[in-house]
């Protein structure tokens, strides 16, 4: 049976530069910073590939009551963390899209519409998308996001999606690409390469 | 928004003025009622019971137990280890304008193992009812909403019984978000229809299972509007005279509640004396060995709630004390309402989004079988006009 990519939420707002999704999830299912996801666009004819760069856990009146209560019991705190489905909002920056003829490393022609499903990408999909590294420039050039930290996290995810033997050459190639893109900004380059090798 | 707020504003102001005037009046009435309770406290219990017997079976008051009427009991300590279970239910009534006729009962429950630090066990049980026999049964037309409410109440009690049996051997407090008298039977009064009788029998059976498992059962009523103790004071008051059936039926303090009476008498965490319900349906509970008693509990200065318990809980000091201390403990977070009930409600409630998702699922299932899946024209027009569109992008 073919493995289905796990659903992590639905689009609440979007633009061609990225999209925001929401879900009510217990703690283990909350999306992870730097992970790859995809959302359907153009009535299913394309999928926008996103990197999750911001995750915010929303609260409600009850959560605030428990959090500020001096007498909250361990069971109640465990209940909030493991049972209550906390509303989570996450933002993804677009780093490419899957068209009918394969992956494109550019901003998508149309954003996903609201309520489009957002799925985590399976390791095989991550491997396929990251065979090329043109998406790095979309991350580093995106305004108002923690671009360097995001790129490092995403490269690590892409490396993890590969067999052990393929990881060192992939990381070397990624480092080389970073050097070309950040060659004129040695401080940033040092930070990125330092984080990658750390 | 179709409500014309400028038109409403003067009416709202008049309402607030009336509320302030009524409060002033109630304070005067409260003084009389307090004096009445002190006087009633001096009477022999047998004399009060004699007056109650003369007041007839429709008298809506409170029957004293062996505890003194004016007594206030301090909160006892909790057992070192215990469980708290709670259940709540919600429903979707059948709608002839909907895609298909059905109704839904959703029961939410929680079991908190106090002192262990582990996450509580939570359950949500939806039941979709669609068989013709269940939708129409012996009724004239569709099943009445009150019967669906009754089925929901039975489902809640059944869930508590299941959790109670699973917790056997450890002190367990079971909480319901309401009184213990089955409301549909309470409303029916003395003569019950066979359908209501069947629900009542099932409800009492589950209550019996809780009794067998030694579970301390309690119905929790926040902001109660009851006036049973006021009726008792009126009936027992010396000025009221012989207490004929007619004169004893209603107390003269309209608008006053037992809650107001006890808010000046109980300190935080104290409970009042226990009383028994004089409702006719309580006779059926009594016959089955589950007569319902109640007391008032002070959770904070002026915050009085009503707690209903079976007499077999009230008569066993360890169970009664456990209900008292357990509810005080449960109401510490969030302040003033049991934690387990908040969560049971959250697990049971069917939101508008849930309902929409259910309708979408139903539409898909009907279309798969080549059946029409459309709302009535009336329902469609309400959907068109009820939701305003916003363009955010």
């Amino acid at each position: 049976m073919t493995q289905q990519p796990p659903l992590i939420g639905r689009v609440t707002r979007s633009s061609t530069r990225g999209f925001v999704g929401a879900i009510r999830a217990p703690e283990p299912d909350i999306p992870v910073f730097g992970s790859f996801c995809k959302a359907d666009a153009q009535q299913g004819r394309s999928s926008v590939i996103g990197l999750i760069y911001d995750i915010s856990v929303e609260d409600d009146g009850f959560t605030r009551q428990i959090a500020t209560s001096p007498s909250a019991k361990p069971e109640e705190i465990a209940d909030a963390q493991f049972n209550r489905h906390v509303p989570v909002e996450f933002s993804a920056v677009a780093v490419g899209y899957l068209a009918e003829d394969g992956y494109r490393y550019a901003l998508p022609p149309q954003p996903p519409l609201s309520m489009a499903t957002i799925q985590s990408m399976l390791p095989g999909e991550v491997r396929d998308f990251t065979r090329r590294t043109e998406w790095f420039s979309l991350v580093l050039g995106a305004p108002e996001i923690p671009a360097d930290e995001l790129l490092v996290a995403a490269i690590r995810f892409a490396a993890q999606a590969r067999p052990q033997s393929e990881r060192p050459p992939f990381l070397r190639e990624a480092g080389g690409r970073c050097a070309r893109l950040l060659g004129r900004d040695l401080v940033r380059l040092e930070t990125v390469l330092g984080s990658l090798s750390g | 928004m179709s409500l014309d707020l400028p038109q409403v504003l003067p009416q709202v102001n008049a309402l607030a003025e009336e509320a302030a005037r009524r409060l002033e009046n109630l304070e005067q009435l409260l003084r009389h009622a307090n004096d009445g309770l002190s006087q009633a406290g001096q009477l022999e219990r047998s004399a009060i019971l004699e007056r109650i017997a003369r007041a007839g079976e429709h008298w809506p008051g409170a029957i004293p137990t062996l505890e003194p009427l004016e007594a206030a009991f301090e909160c006892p300590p909790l057992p070192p280890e215990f469980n708290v279970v709670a259940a709540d239910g919600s429903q979707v009534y059948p709608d002839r304008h909907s895609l298909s006729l059905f109704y839904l009962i959703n029961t939410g429950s929680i079991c908190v193992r106090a002192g262990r630090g582990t996450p509580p066990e939570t359950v949500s049980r939806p039941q979709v009812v669609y068989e013709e026999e269940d939708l129409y049964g012996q009724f004239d037309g569709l099943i009445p909403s009150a019967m669906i409410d009754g089925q929901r109440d039975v489902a809640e009690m059944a869930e508590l019984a299941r959790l109670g049996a699973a917790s056997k051997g450890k002190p367990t407090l079971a909480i319901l978000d309401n009184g213990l008298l089955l409301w549909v039977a309470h409303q029916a009064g003395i003569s019950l229809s066979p359908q209501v009788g069947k629900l009542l029998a099932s409800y009492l059976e589950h209550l019996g299972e809780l009794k067998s498992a030694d579970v301390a059962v309690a119905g929790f009523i926040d902001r109660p509007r009851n006036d049973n103790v006021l009726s008792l004071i009126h009936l027992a008051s010396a000025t009221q005279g012989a207490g004929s059936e007619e004169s004893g039926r209603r107390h003269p303090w309209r608008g006053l509640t037992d809650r107001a009476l006890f808010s000046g008498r109980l300190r935080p965490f104290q409970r009042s004396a226990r009383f028994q319900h004089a409702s006719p349906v309580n006779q059926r509970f009594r016959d089955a060995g589950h007569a319902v008693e109640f007391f008032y509990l002070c959770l904070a200065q002026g915050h009085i709630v009503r707690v209903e318990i079976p007499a077999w809980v009230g008569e066993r000091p360890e169970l009664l004390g456990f209900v008292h201390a357990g509810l005080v403990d449960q109401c510490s977070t969030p302040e003033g309402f049991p934690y387990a009930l908040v969560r049971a409600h959250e697990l049971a409630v069917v939101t508008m989004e849930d309902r929409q998702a259910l309708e979408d699922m139903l539409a898909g299932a009907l279309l798969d079988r080549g059946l029409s899946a459309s709302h009535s024209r009336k329902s469609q027009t309400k959907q068109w006009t009820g939701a305003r569109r916003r363009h955010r992008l």
Side-chain angles (χ1 to χ4, degrees):
Chain A
M1 205 169 81
T2 319
Q3 192 188 356
Q4 285 297 312
L7 175 77
I8 54 171
R10 288 186 184 277
V11 172
T12 56
R13 56 185 186 274
S14 63
S15 75
T16 48
R17 285 180 289 123
F19 49 89
V20 173
I23 193 169
R24 295 183 78 86
E27 192 198 31
D29 297 337
I30 292 175
V32 180
F33 176 80
S35 60
F36 290 83
C37 63
K38 60 180 184 178
D40 285 345
Q42 295 182 292
Q43 297 182 329
R45 281 180 285 121
S46 69
S47 294
V48 180
I49 310 298
L51 277 184
I52 293 174
Y53 70 88
D54 188 38
I55 303 158
S56 58
V57 178
E58 307 289 311
D59 61 2
D60 58 16
F62 190 53
T63 307
R64 284 193 290 273
Q65 282 281 324
I66 303 297
T68 55
S69 168
S71 51
K73 302 175 186 69
E75 300 78 31
E76 293 163 358
I77 291 166
D79 191 28
Q81 289 177 329
F82 296 100
N83 288 337
R84 286 194 83 219
H85 286 198
V86 285
V88 176
E89 189 176 88
F90 55 93
S91 306
V93 59
V95 289
Y97 60 99
L98 176 64
E100 282 164 351
D101 55 352
Y103 286 110
R104 303 279 181 84
Y105 300 88
L107 292 181
Q110 273 183 8
L113 296 180
S114 43
M115 293 302 121
T117 54
I118 306 173
Q119 293 171 303
S120 278
M121 284 172 71
L122 294 171
E125 294 174 310
V126 173
R127 270 199 310 276
D128 287 347
F129 178 72
T130 57
R131 272 187 222 291
R132 291 166 59 175
T133 53
E134 286 99 317
W135 55 276
F136 285 21
S137 55
L138 287 171
V139 180
L140 293 172
E144 296 173 17
I145 66 167
D148 299 353
E149 292 84 350
L150 180 64
L151 182 62
V152 170
I155 291 171
R156 285 209 170 121
F157 266 105
Q160 286 293 323
R162 290 168 159 74
Q164 191 74 40
S165 61
E166 292 178 22
R167 289 177 193 172
F170 171 76
L171 288 171
R172 271 196 300 278
E173 189 194 338
R177 179 76 179 176
C178 289
R180 283 194 294 282
L181 290 170
L182 295 173
R184 291 185 182 175
D185 191 342
L186 294 178
V187 177
R188 274 183 85 184
L189 178 60
E190 189 180 357
T191 309
V192 170
L193 293 180
S195 300
L196 261 184
S197 58
Chain B
M1 190 183 286
S2 45
L3 184 62
D4 187 345
L5 290 179
Q7 274 196 62
V8 170
L9 184 62
Q11 298 172 54
V12 169
N13 283 333
L15 183 155
E17 273 174 32
E18 171 63 15
R21 193 196 57 73
R22 210 180 290 156
L23 182 66
E24 208 173 300
N25 187 36
L26 286 181
E27 278 166 7
Q28 237 177 1
L29 297 180
L30 186 58
R31 278 195 290 277
H32 292 143
N34 259 312
D35 292 345
L37 180 56
S38 302
Q39 286 171 22
Q42 307 302 315
L43 287 176
E44 289 290 326
R45 183 167 176 265
S46 57
I48 297 176
L49 294 179
E50 198 179 300
R51 287 186 185 190
I52 291 172
R54 278 211 302 274
E57 60 186 359
H58 292 290
W59 178 67
I63 304 169
T65 59
L66 293 174
E67 294 178 342
L69 298 186
E70 290 188 273
F73 297 87
E74 297 296 335
C75 184
L78 272 168
E81 276 194 31
F82 59 95
N83 297 332
V84 179
V85 299
D88 199 12
S90 68
Q91 68 292 314
V92 174
Y93 297 118
D95 177 5
R96 65 194 169 92
H97 298 289
S98 173
L99 302 176
S100 184
L101 272 181
F102 71 94
Y103 64 93
L104 174 130
I105 293 173
N106 194 37
T107 316
S109 68
I110 184 166
C111 174
V112 184
R113 301 189 191 284
R116 292 215 193 148
T118 52
E121 291 141 39
T122 56
V123 176
S124 192
R125 287 180 203 283
Q127 189 198 356
V128 179
V129 183
Y130 51 85
E131 298 281 359
E132 215 160 89
E133 178 59 27
D134 298 318
L135 288 171
Y136 296 99
Q138 308 297 312
F139 308 106
D140 296 330
L142 267 178
I143 180 172
S145 303
M147 282 299 293
I148 297 174
D149 294 345
Q151 290 179 10
R152 181 206 59 210
D153 292 346
V154 172
E156 290 171 11
M157 190 57 89
E159 183 62 10
L160 280 189
R162 184 188 71 78
L163 292 169
S167 302
K168 210 170 178 176
K170 186 156 280 186
T172 300
L173 170 63
I175 322 172
L176 274 181
D177 182 13
N178 224 327
L180 287 187
L181 291 177
L182 184 66
W183 185 246
V184 68
H186 189 50
Q187 290 295 89
I190 294 169
S191 60
L192 300 185
S193 68
Q195 292 92 343
V196 173
K198 204 171 152 188
L199 283 180
L200 181 60
S202 177
Y203 187 85
L204 290 170
E205 192 182 321
H206 296 310
L207 207 45
E209 289 160 15
L210 285 160
K211 183 181 181 183
S212 304
D214 268 345
V215 172
V217 184
F220 184 93
I221 306 169
D222 191 21
R223 202 174 280 193
R225 297 282 312 163
N226 310 67
D227 56 1
N228 314 89
V229 177
L230 290 172
S231 293
L232 170 66
I233 295 169
H234 173 58
L235 188 77
S237 67
T239 53
Q240 194 258 328
S244 70
E245 185 166 332
E246 208 42 53
S247 63
R249 194 157 293 165
R250 281 278 157 216
H251 64 76
W253 306 302
R254 196 170 70 174
L256 202 61
T257 58
D258 292 353
R259 175 162 56 101
L261 180 70
F262 284 105
S263 72
R265 288 180 162 264
L266 297 175
R267 291 199 313 274
F269 311 142
Q270 284 185 331
R271 74 162 175 90
S272 72
R274 287 154 37 229
F275 301 89
Q276 263 198 22
H277 248 288
S279 148
V281 76
N282 204 15
Q283 188 53 49
R284 294 177 188 271
F285 277 68
R286 201 171 288 120
D287 294 344
H290 306 295
V292 172
E293 298 183 345
F294 64 89
F295 59 81
Y296 289 93
L297 174 63
C298 179
L299 292 171
Q301 197 63 51
H303 182 190
I304 303 291
V305 299
R306 178 173 163 124
V307 179
E308 296 196 356
I309 49 173
W312 48 263
V313 170
E315 286 156 7
R316 286 176 57 184
E318 78 282 10
L319 289 184
L320 176 62
F322 182 30
V323 167
H324 184 171
L327 286 176
V328 166
D329 181 63
Q330 276 285 300
C331 293
S332 58
T333 330
E335 247 170 61
F337 199 79
Y339 180 91
L341 275 186
V342 177
R343 290 287 286 118
H345 171 77
E346 188 180 31
L347 292 158
V349 71
V350 180
T351 62
M352 288 306 287
E353 287 91 352
D354 293 334
R355 195 171 170 161
Q356 187 56 52
L358 176 66
E359 295 253 327
D360 291 347
M361 201 186 282
L362 177 60
L366 290 173
L367 288 169
D368 281 350
R369 287 154 186 80
L371 300 171
S372 150
S374 60
H375 290 268
S376 72
R377 295 300 291 171
K378 178 179 172 176
S379 173
Q380 274 179 0
T381 55
K382 282 187 176 178
Q383 283 177 12
W384 293 336
T385 56
R388 313 266 157 146
R389 290 194 65 180
R390 286 184 307 155
H391 296 277
R392 298 178 62 194
L393 287 171

